[in-house]
């Protein structure tokens, strides 16, 4: 029967496995065992490679217990550095053969007359070998670099020099592969992810790399992956919002945001797992990783989203949010004056925030006598559409406001911001502050997240239209959703005529708001 002591096979690869005694686990990150890929499918090669690791870890355990100061491998590494340093100094100072003989005599005397530690012995021996090498070079002869320098240079199990058990060739580092993965998926402008999503991926990758100590892909197994997800699950859901987060270490982030009373949702943890798993998947596709993807099967159960989903605004909330009518000619245009128009447009069109903020003057036009927002380059193909302007907005003076604008933009005060440089970025924050100041919030008791946001205007519009018994395909064309089924979606790609779309828009009514219509700003069209 094959000897598999200290060995374990996972899939087709052999791993080195060694138990760590309980009294020294604190020095091994609390691990009860060490597991390292041997990078081979060949049992014979694995059997040979394991002994160097056995010696290394037993020596490390002895160091922790105080039985020795350094492991043989550490002594050999330091002696090797001393050998290189001595050669360099001899060259720099132009030392001749006589000087080398003096140095050799001095070091031999130290070894024979003093009680040197294992490290001192190895350093002296390294200097002797360096002097011998210098002498050979002065005589025009080659000199083979020593394999060992210390007293314990021969491994008692393999009968080979300690340094012959070379470190495994450096594998693909997670940081490097993750960087190249992001570069690859962003190469094609038609298929790339948004800058916001890229930023989220980079935050997860940075957090993991910090925690794992800049690992290679082969260093991460399923147990480590699971441990990371468990640790980050205690983070404050808003841990990444600080501009200083990128500069903080994993420990600093956990100190500041860890052990939160709610922590991350399973849905967020699954996004972490998915993002990290994509790196390993890509590495396997390009031939830089051959093992098991440690992130597969790590997904956690998510609750039914309908129970914790976002909500439309109530009638009373709409009355609060739209209590101030927009100004046709504000004396000093600002984010506050712009927000009034944006909120009213959203409430009477169902348009998305960025669809409103990104409109130009040229995209407000008449078709068949109907004033419309002409939306192009929307979030989806179905989002490109004509949205008739509700008569309520015209009564408030929107067309007059439009004609007073100079330049290209409908709302010129808005500045691009955020990862994707959206014109809605800063206005979104202005709206959140305004909404919360009015007390318009619906906190989820489970995770303390707010169930209303600017998109709740859009939900309110869809709710009103559904309660008005309008066909779903008609509502979809106004709000920019795909038409269900192939009958209308495939065989009538042009959709409804603008007059019909206007009828859909005019079905948006808010009795509580419209009862105060007498106080509105009437526009001259």
């Amino acid at each position: 029967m094959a000897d598999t002591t200290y060995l374990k096979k996972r899939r087709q690869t052999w791993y080195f496995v060694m138990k760590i005694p309980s009294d020294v686990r604190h020095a091994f990150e609390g691990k009860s065992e060490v597991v390292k890929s041997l990078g081979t499918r060949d049992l014979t090669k694995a059997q040979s490679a394991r002994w160097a690791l056995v010696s290394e870890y037993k020596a490390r355990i002895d160091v922790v217990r105080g039985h020795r100061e350094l492991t043989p491998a550490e002594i050999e590494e330091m002696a090797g550095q001393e050998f290189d340093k001595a050669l360099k100094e001899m060259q720099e100072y132009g030392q001749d053969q006589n000087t080398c003989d003096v140095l050799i005599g001095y070091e031999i005397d130290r070894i024979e007359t003093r009680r040197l530690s294992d490290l001192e012995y190895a350093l002296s021996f390294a200097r002797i070998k360096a002097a011998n090498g210098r002498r050979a070079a002065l005589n025009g002869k080659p000199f083979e670099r020593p394999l060992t320098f210390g007293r314990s240079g021969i491994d008692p199990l393999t009968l080979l020099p300690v340094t012959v058990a070379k470190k495994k060739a450096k594998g693909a580092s997670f940081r490097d592969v993750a960087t190249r993965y992001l570069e690859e998926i962003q190469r094609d402008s038609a298929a790339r992810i948004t800058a916001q999503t890229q930023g989220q991926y980079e935050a997860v990758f940075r957090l993991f790399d910090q925690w794992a100590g800049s690992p290679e892909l082969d260093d991460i197994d399923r147990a480590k992956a699971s441990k990371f997800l468990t640790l980050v699950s205690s983070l404050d859901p808003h841990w990444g919002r600080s501009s200083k987060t990128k500069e903080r270490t994993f420990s600093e982030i956990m100190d500041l945001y860890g052990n939160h009373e709610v922590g991350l949702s399973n849905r967020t943890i699954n996004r972490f797992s998915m993002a990290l798993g994509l790196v390993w998947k890509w590495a396997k596709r390009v031939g830089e990783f051959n093992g098991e993807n440690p992130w597969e099967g790590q997904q956690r159960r998510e609750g039914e989203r309908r129970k914790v989903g976002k909500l439309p605004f109530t009638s009373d909330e709409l009355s609060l949010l739209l209590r101030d009518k927009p100004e046709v000619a504000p004396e000093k245009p600002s984010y506050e004056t712009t927000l009034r128009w944006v909120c009213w447009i959203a409430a009477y069109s169902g348009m998305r925030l960025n669809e409103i903020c990104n409109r130009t003057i040229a995209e407000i036009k008449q078709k068949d006598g109907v004033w419309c927002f002409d939306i192009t380059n929307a979030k989806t193909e179905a989002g490109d559409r004509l949205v008739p302007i509700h008569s309520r907005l015209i009564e408030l003076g929107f067309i007059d406001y439009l004609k007073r604008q100079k330049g290209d933009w409908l709302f010129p005060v808005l500045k691009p911001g955020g990862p994707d440089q959206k014109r809605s970025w800063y206005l979104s924050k202005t709206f959140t502050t305004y909404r919360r100041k009015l007390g318009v919030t619906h906190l989820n008791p489970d995770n303390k997240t707010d169930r209303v946001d600017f998109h709740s205007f859009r939900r309110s519009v869809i709710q009103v239209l559904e309660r008005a018994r309008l066909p779903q395909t008609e509502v979809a064309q106004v709000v920019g959703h795909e038409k269900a089924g192939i009958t209308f979606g495939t065989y009538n790609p042009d959709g409804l005529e603008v007059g019909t779309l206007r009828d859909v828009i005019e079905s948006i009514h808010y009795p509580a708001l419209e009862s105060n219509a007498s106080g509105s700003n009437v526009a001259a069209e």
Side-chain angles (χ1 to χ4, degrees), residues 265-284:
S265 67
N266 281 356
R267 186 168 176 234
T268 299
I269 296 169
N270 288 343
R271 284 205 298 267
F272 276 40
S273 178
M274 180 273 293
L276 290 162
L278 288 173
V279 175
W280 268 257
K281 185 177 181 180
W282 182 81
K284 194 164 188 174

Side-chain angles (χ1 to χ4, degrees), residues 55-79 81 117-123 150-152 162:
S55 296
E56 175 188 346
Y57 279 95
K58 285 189 173 181
R60 287 176 60 181
I61 290 170
D62 283 346
V63 169
V64 176
R65 287 173 169 168
H67 298 167
R68 66 167 81 195
E69 292 183 3
L70 297 166
T71 68
E74 290 170 334
I75 290 173
E76 292 298 333
E77 183 177 359
M78 295 172 72
Q81 292 171 355
S117 67
D118 287 346
L119 176 60
E120 291 171 331
Y121 176 93
L123 295 178
R151 292 190 182 110
S152 305
V162 170

Side-chain angles (χ1 to χ4, degrees), residues 94-155:
Q95 292 184 352
D96 58 18
Q97 188 162 321
N98 289 332
T99 308
C100 291
D101 290 341
V102 172
L103 174 61
I104 291 172
Y106 172 76
E107 295 296 344
I108 289 176
D109 184 63
R110 287 187 78 237
I111 290 174
E112 292 180 346
T113 61
R114 301 185 188 182
R115 299 183 62 180
L116 301 180
S117 67
D118 287 346
L119 176 60
E120 291 171 331
Y121 176 93
L123 295 178
S124 284
F125 195 70
R127 289 189 282 268
I128 291 172
K129 288 295 185 181
N132 283 328
R134 174 69 177 176
R135 286 171 46 177
L138 292 172
N139 291 320
K141 297 179 181 180
F143 184 84
E144 188 172 343
R145 182 187 178 91
L147 294 176
T148 63
F149 300 96
R151 292 190 182 110
S152 305
I154 302 300
D155 189 296

Side-chain angles (χ1 to χ4, degrees), residues 14-65:
W14 285 102
Y15 285 74
F16 166 75
V17 181
M18 182 176 177
K19 298 290 184 184
I20 303 298
S22 58
D23 64 313
V24 296
R25 286 177 188 169
H26 64 278
F28 294 85
E29 301 179 356
K31 298 175 182 176
S32 60
E33 66 177 12
V34 61
V35 180
K36 281 186 171 292
S37 172
L38 295 173
T40 182
R41 299 184 178 189
D42 188 304
L43 176 58
T44 302
K45 291 181 180 179
Q47 289 170 329
S48 176
R50 64 183 161 176
W51 296 120
L53 290 171
V54 170
S55 296
E56 175 188 346
Y57 279 95
K58 285 189 173 181
R60 287 176 60 181
I61 290 170
D62 283 346
V63 169
V64 176
R65 287 173 169 168

Side-chain angles (χ1 to χ4, degrees), residues 320-343:
L320 270 176
L321 293 167
L322 303 179
R323 66 182 183 181
D324 296 323
K325 294 180 176 59
E327 297 179 57
V328 172
E331 182 178 344
K332 188 177 181 180
S334 64
Y335 270 74
E336 286 69 25
T337 62
T338 298
L339 182 62
R340 294 182 190 177
W341 273 118
V342 172
C343 288

Side-chain angles (χ1 to χ4, degrees), residues 183-204:
E183 290 173 351
E184 167 63 23
I185 63 175
Q186 295 298 72
R187 182 188 60 80
D188 186 345
S189 59
R192 66 177 51 157
I193 58 177
T194 66
Q196 182 174 357
T197 300
Q198 179 179 349
Q200 292 170 347
Y201 280 15
E202 288 172 342
V204 173

Side-chain angles (χ1 to χ4, degrees), residues 424-440:
S424 60
W425 176 263
Y426 296 109
L427 191 70
S428 174
K429 298 180 184 299
T430 302
F431 173 74
T432 300
T433 301
Y434 170 67
R435 173 176 61 80
R436 290 175 178 169
K437 185 178 180 180
L438 294 177
V440 180

